[in-house]
Amino acid sequence: MHILIVEDDQAIAANLYDFLESRGHRVDAAADGTLGYHLAVSQQFDAILLDLGLPGMNGITLCRKLRQESQVDTPILMITARDTLEDKLVGFEHGADDYLVKPFQLKEVEARLNALHKRYSGRMTRRKLEVNGLSYDPKTFSIRFESKEVKLPPKCIRLLALMMSEPGRVFSRKELESEAWEDAQETSDTLRSHMHVLRRALMRAGGYDPIETVHGIGYCLNSRAPSQD
Ligand code: CA
């Protein structure tokens, strides 16, 4: 996961940073609300760990601005020194997804982040997506190229929508399988054959195949169309 930590307490921030990085996550950190907000709107994160009491812009304001002004729907795990129902309600009201009270166990932080990320991945496909002439409409659960509908089986639509949610990012076979088949165990042949169907249909619709195979890892949707010459 790519995680943003917004926390002004240097010791807590360093602890979180070191722990999450040692667990294989890519981590960025901001020590005040203004920088945190700037990073959250300018980069793509999988989750944000947000302290409530911050200099510059407090956690609640940051949360509200992200959701309302910038339409950023990255999951937010709010961390706070206080534990009152009122604080929780205010946090949730302004767009936080979960809440953790200091002091906390680092393992607990990771477990909560993983749970949020999992929920959020399932939610991605509710956004309207557009990449290089391809569009995905969650309301009609359909894919179009330019304005013509591309007929695809539902599993292929799910796979493509997931890749369209982050063009240029490599999705592992496991991530793609769990998006299309949820918890059912599928063989890699099933994914491969669905990818084949998907790529052939896109090739027919747009004249080129926008999906790239990343050997040994998975697949990625090119963020740019091939040049015409
Ligand atoms: Ca603080």
Side-chain angles (χ1 to χ4, degrees), residues 48-50 63 67 75-80 88 91-92 95-101 108-109 111-113 115-116 119:
I48 301 171
L49 258 171
L50 179 63
C63 217
R67 300 300 194 229
I76 295 175
L77 174 57
M78 192 87 101
I79 40 181
T80 173
K88 276 183 214 187
F92 289 139
D97 298 276
D98 199 2
Y99 214 88
L100 207 56
V101 178
E108 175 72 12
V109 176
R112 300 280 191 103
L113 288 173
L116 279 183
R119 249 197 281 157

Side-chain angles (χ1 to χ4, degrees), residues 6-9 12 31 51-55 79-81 102:
V6 190
E7 164 66 88
D8 61 319
D9 183 314
I12 295 176
D51 184 30
L52 188 66
L54 288 167
I79 40 181
T80 173
K102 295 177 194 174

Side-chain angles (χ1 to χ4, degrees), residues 39-222:
L39 288 174
V41 295
S42 58
Q43 291 185 41
Q44 178 91 40
F45 292 96
D46 297 305
I48 301 171
L49 258 171
L50 179 63
D51 184 30
L52 188 66
L54 288 167
M57 183 192 299
N58 72 37
I60 295 288
T61 308
L62 200 161
C63 217
R64 185 174 45 76
K65 275 175 70 91
L66 277 185
R67 300 300 194 229
Q68 288 174 10
E69 290 174 26
S70 308
Q71 318 290 320
V72 171
D73 60 356
T74 311
I76 295 175
L77 174 57
M78 192 87 101
I79 40 181
T80 173
R82 289 169 288 182
D83 180 23
T84 67
L85 181 63
E86 190 57 28
D87 280 341
K88 276 183 214 187
L89 293 179
V90 170
F92 289 139
E93 224 166 76
H94 290 87
D97 298 276
D98 199 2
Y99 214 88
L100 207 56
V101 178
K102 295 177 194 174
F104 45 74
Q105 299 265 312
L106 290 168
K107 276 189 178 160
E108 175 72 12
V109 176
E110 197 195 19
R112 300 280 191 103
L113 288 173
N114 281 333
L116 279 183
H117 183 53
K118 212 173 159 194
R119 249 197 281 157
Y120 177 75
S121 314
R123 205 175 75 189
M124 298 292 290
T125 49
R126 283 180 215 157
R127 284 190 292 148
K128 193 171 163 106
L129 304 167
E130 282 177 11
V131 184
N132 295 325
L134 272 177
S135 60
Y136 165 71
D137 185 347
K139 288 198 192 106
T140 52
F141 193 63
S142 61
I143 301 282
R144 290 179 175 272
F145 183 76
E146 304 303 350
S147 50
K148 210 167 168 289
E149 186 174 357
V150 184
K151 290 263 176 232
L152 286 167
K155 302 280 188 213
C156 291
I157 296 180
R158 290 188 71 105
L159 292 170
L160 181 59
L162 179 64
M163 287 189 287
M164 284 175 73
S165 70
E166 265 183 85
R169 184 191 138 187
V170 179
F171 287 89
S172 69
R173 286 191 294 257
K174 220 179 146 99
E175 280 176 284
L176 290 161
E177 281 163 7
S178 69
E179 174 72 16
W181 290 276
E182 287 168 2
D183 291 331
Q185 293 293 310
E186 291 295 324
T187 66
S188 54
D189 270 355
T190 316
L191 177 64
R192 204 174 301 137
S193 49
H194 278 79
M195 277 294 175
H196 184 74
V197 170
L198 174 60
R199 297 172 89 158
R200 214 172 40 184
L202 293 177
M203 180 82 200
R204 233 183 269 134
Y208 68 95
D209 174 9
I211 296 172
E212 219 172 279
T213 305
V214 183
H215 288 287
I217 303 171
Y219 299 90
C220 150
L221 181 74
N222 283 321

